[in-house]
Amino acid sequence: MARIKPQALLQQSKKKKGPNRISATTILLSSLIVVLIVFFLYSTYTHWYQRSKFQVETGDSVFEGGNAFADLKKSDLPGYAVLKTAKGSISVQLFKDSSPEVVDEFIDLCQKGHFKGMLFRHVIKHYVVQAGNIDKPGATEDWTLKGSHLGKLDTSLKHEAFMLGTSKAKHDNEGFELFITTAPIPDLNDKLIVFGRVVKGEDVVQEIEEVDTDEHYQPKSPIGIIDVTLKQKI
């Protein structure tokens, strides 16, 4: 048998150890799989990002049951609310730090649509406008008495106009009312839990304040809140 020269053996060894060629079909399928994975991840991210953004802007929540925003950090809670009325929109900054419990309740009620269609029940010019689902006879008597003496009060007023609050009286969700002051009120904290202030739309509040009312300070023509939108920024 003829002996194979060492040089020939080396060449044969190199040929055996050489890598197999990858077919074009394999490369194409691998590339397609990678593209599909990337597309799926991007679509998933886009879907949840848009959904989260929509929920915050509309006041809807991705949580089920209980307080819609209970699991969110305080910094993630909406900081503003926009009250849409027939006269225009009123933008309100929410006091998340000073009135956290009331703000949480307000946000939860917004998510449930509590304020949609809520009427302004009483309008006391140069004092306050009040919106609520329940019309309580005599509810504005004390407010009216205070308002009549407003001109005699000390000029060192402690509270500004265009503050947003709700009654301190214990109530269920149906009794959650909204009050917007239209003049400084010294004893405001004795009457209301203040949880926000109007930062845009003061002219709209003043237009509501100027509607015609009857002897019970109730608007002669119905006017109310069409909807409330929660926002992180204005």
Side-chain angles (χ1 to χ4, degrees):
M1 178 180 296
R3 294 179 64 183
I4 302 176
K5 296 180 180 181
Q7 187 176 4
L9 287 172
L10 181 60
Q11 290 179 351
Q12 289 180 5
S13 176
K14 289 182 178 180
K15 289 180 180 180
K16 291 179 180 179
K17 293 181 180 179
N20 294 328
R21 290 186 176 182
I22 301 175
S23 65
T25 302
T26 302
I27 295 175
L28 182 61
L29 288 175
S30 300
S31 300
L32 182 60
I33 291 172
V34 171
V35 170
L36 288 175
I37 292 174
V38 172
F39 177 76
F40 173 77
L41 293 174
Y42 176 77
S43 299
T44 302
Y45 168 79
T46 302
H47 168 75
W48 286 107
Y49 174 79
Q50 293 294 338
R51 180 176 178 179
S52 176
K53 182 179 179 182
F54 174 79
Q55 299 292 352
V56 170
E57 290 183 351
T58 59
D60 294 335
S61 173
V62 296
F63 300 104
E64 295 181 359
N67 190 328
F69 294 88
D71 296 331
L72 293 178
K73 295 179 181 178
K74 185 183 294 185
S75 60
D76 295 330
L77 290 174
Y80 297 85
V82 179
L83 284 63
K84 182 180 179 182
T85 75
K87 298 291 186 180
S89 295
I90 304 168
S91 298
V92 179
Q93 180 183 10
L94 303 176
F95 296 160
K96 297 186 291 183
D97 294 326
S98 59
S99 304
E101 294 183 0
V102 180
V103 169
D104 286 347
E105 185 179 3
F106 173 76
I107 290 175
D108 186 42
L109 291 174
C110 286
Q111 186 270 334
K112 294 176 180 178
H114 173 75
F115 301 104
K116 290 183 178 180
M118 177 178 282
L119 294 176
F120 288 99
R121 295 289 182 180
H122 300 96
V123 174
I124 305 175
K125 291 184 179 181
H126 311 303
Y127 202 56
V128 69
V129 297
Q130 174 251 334
N133 285 331
I134 301 175
D135 185 16
K136 301 175 183 177
T140 58
E141 288 181 359
D142 189 38
W143 285 86
T144 306
L145 179 62
K146 289 287 186 180
S148 64
H149 295 291
L150 187 61
K152 304 176 183 178
L153 294 174
D154 192 323
T155 56
S156 59
L157 300 175
K158 299 178 181 178
H159 300 282
E160 302 175 358
F162 303 110
M163 305 301 285
L164 175 70
T166 189
S167 173
K168 280 191 170 183
K170 292 184 178 180
H171 51 66
D172 55 19
N173 288 343
E174 283 299 316
F176 195 104
E177 304 168 291
L178 295 179
F179 292 82
I180 302 177
T181 63
T182 61
I185 301 176
D187 60 345
L188 182 60
N189 283 345
D190 295 335
K191 292 180 169 299
L192 300 177
I193 301 175
V194 177
F195 65 95
R197 65 184 177 92
V198 177
V199 294
K200 186 177 180 181
E202 292 93 339
D203 56 329
V204 177
V205 177
Q206 290 173 333
E207 282 194 49
I208 296 173
E209 182 187 26
E210 293 298 324
V211 300
D212 291 333
T213 59
D214 60 20
E215 64 275 14
H216 301 293
Y217 301 95
Q218 295 181 333
K220 293 181 179 180
S221 299
I223 180 172
I225 299 171
I226 298 172
D227 198 2
V228 178
T229 302
L230 298 172
K231 292 181 177 292
Q232 291 285 3
K233 298 179 180 179
I234 293 294

